[in-house]
Amino acid sequence: MGFLKRILRNAVSDDTAQVISSGSFETLTDEELQTHMGIQSYGVFDLTDAIRPSYDLQIVPRQGFRYDEYVDETSGSATPVILAAATRHRLMDLFLELIDPLGPVVDVVLETSHQGNTGHEDLYREHIDAPVLKSTLLEFEDLLLNDGCTGIAVINPGKRQEVQLDEHKLLIAYGNPLEDYSKVLIEGDVYPDDEIRFITEAEHVHSSSERYTDEFNQLKNHLGMDGEEFAGAW
């Protein structure tokens, strides 16, 4: 999980940091950036507050999913992946439904890049009952949907399967088979589209705030992580 980023502070909000994946946003005036960050939807696709596409709309956000694969750089092994984008009002429900195929007891990884250009940190919690986890995540729905420096992965190491709601608010399912996850997405009106491109595949901007940093720490404590770092993948 995670992408290298750097922080640009400006006048959009007194306590908000825009986390930039590329440099062209720095050429915008405060008014242009504020206007761009204020756009909440493109067509019928509603954005969360966590992320915005490039100013020149290299990729226009839309709903859908495609199949891909993750190739481990060390072993060369390939793992099938589903990448999905969903409109804001469906996003949390879909994520919670995607957890179900993982089973009744799961592991959790929280990702934070609130420290800016120091990179990102992954915090790990083993063996939590899925219903307890889902209840906790609902308490922190605002953070999970609207903070561009928070990501979460839910894992079943035994099944070698994982579901993510990442910092870009994409839904990602890893493992084999993937049929249960594609079924959840299709039943939620998120359909396969081989041509879909995602916001991560072009310049984009993340948003966070001091309030979300505080809420992240609260979520971390609720999950009993206490700063333990994630040592590796399943």
Side-chain angles (χ1 to χ4, degrees), residues 10 25 36 40 53 67-68 74 78 84 89 95 97 104 117 139 159 162 165 175 185 208 234:
N10 54 51
F25 281 95
H36 183 64
Q40 297 184 349
Y67 295 95
D68 210 319
T74 302
H89 76 276
F95 178 58
E97 290 171 23
N117 60 7
E139 293 181 39
K159 288 187 173 183
E162 175 178 339
L165 176 61
L185 292 169
S208 188
W234 34 259

Side-chain angles (χ1 to χ4, degrees), residues 5 12 26 40 55 64 98 136-138 152 171 211 217:
K5 310 177 194 73
V12 171
E26 294 176 326
Q40 297 184 349
Y55 188 72
L98 287 168
T136 301
L137 298 184
L138 279 173
I152 185 169
L171 296 166
R211 175 170 67 87
N217 288 328

Side-chain angles (χ1 to χ4, degrees), residues 47-89:
L47 299 165
T48 72
D49 293 337
I51 194 164
R52 291 294 181 270
S54 63
Y55 188 72
D56 60 356
L57 293 182
Q58 299 166 25
I59 293 176
V60 178
R62 60 189 177 94
Q63 186 158 284
F65 75 87
R66 76 169 193 244
Y67 295 95
D68 210 319
E69 65 177 13
Y70 168 74
V71 179
D72 185 272
E73 294 180 358
T74 302
S75 66
S77 62
T79 302
V81 178
I82 287 177
L83 301 167
T87 191
R88 177 177 186 152
H89 76 276

Side-chain angles (χ1 to χ4, degrees), residues 169-231:
K169 309 315 162 190
L170 296 179
L171 296 166
I172 307 169
Y174 295 88
N176 192 20
L178 290 172
E179 285 80 5
D180 288 342
Y181 305 104
S182 61
K183 181 180 179 181
V184 168
L185 292 169
I186 291 170
E187 289 177 350
D189 294 326
V190 181
Y191 297 103
D193 182 350
D194 291 340
E195 303 301 318
I196 193 170
R197 297 178 67 206
F198 298 104
I199 204 167
T200 55
E201 297 176 282
E203 186 181 44
H204 54 275
V205 57
H206 297 241
S207 288
S208 188
S209 69
E210 293 179 6
R211 175 170 67 87
Y212 285 138
T213 301
D214 292 340
E215 289 186 10
F216 180 90
N217 288 328
Q218 293 174 35
L219 174 57
K220 179 183 73 173
N221 292 335
H222 272 65
L223 293 175
M225 291 177 167
D226 299 325
E228 293 183 8
E229 292 193 20
F230 180 38

Side-chain angles (χ1 to χ4, degrees), residues 8-124:
L8 169 69
R9 294 189 181 275
N10 54 51
V12 171
S13 173
D14 290 340
D15 68 343
T16 298
Q18 264 63 50
V19 186
I20 311 298
S21 67
S22 185
S24 70
F25 281 95
E26 294 176 326
T27 67
L28 301 179
T29 66
D30 288 344
E31 182 178 358
E32 289 172 330
L33 184 56
Q34 187 170 5
T35 298
H36 183 64
M37 296 300 291
I39 297 173
Q40 297 184 349
S41 61
Y42 291 90
V44 297
F45 188 92
D46 295 329
L47 299 165
T48 72
D49 293 337
I51 194 164
R52 291 294 181 270
S54 63
Y55 188 72
D56 60 356
L57 293 182
Q58 299 166 25
I59 293 176
V60 178
R62 60 189 177 94
Q63 186 158 284
F65 75 87
R66 76 169 193 244
Y67 295 95
D68 210 319
E69 65 177 13
Y70 168 74
V71 179
D72 185 272
E73 294 180 358
T74 302
S75 66
S77 62
T79 302
V81 178
I82 287 177
L83 301 167
T87 191
R88 177 177 186 152
H89 76 276
R90 288 292 297 134
L91 190 56
M92 192 67 181
D93 287 343
L94 282 169
F95 178 58
L96 295 178
E97 290 171 23
L98 287 168
I99 292 173
D100 289 339
L102 293 172
V105 179
V106 294
D107 296 353
V108 185
V109 179
L110 278 183
E111 179 191 28
T112 171
S113 57
H114 292 102
Q115 302 306 312
N117 60 7
T118 60
H120 77 277
E121 180 183 13
D122 289 343
L123 307 173
Y124 195 78

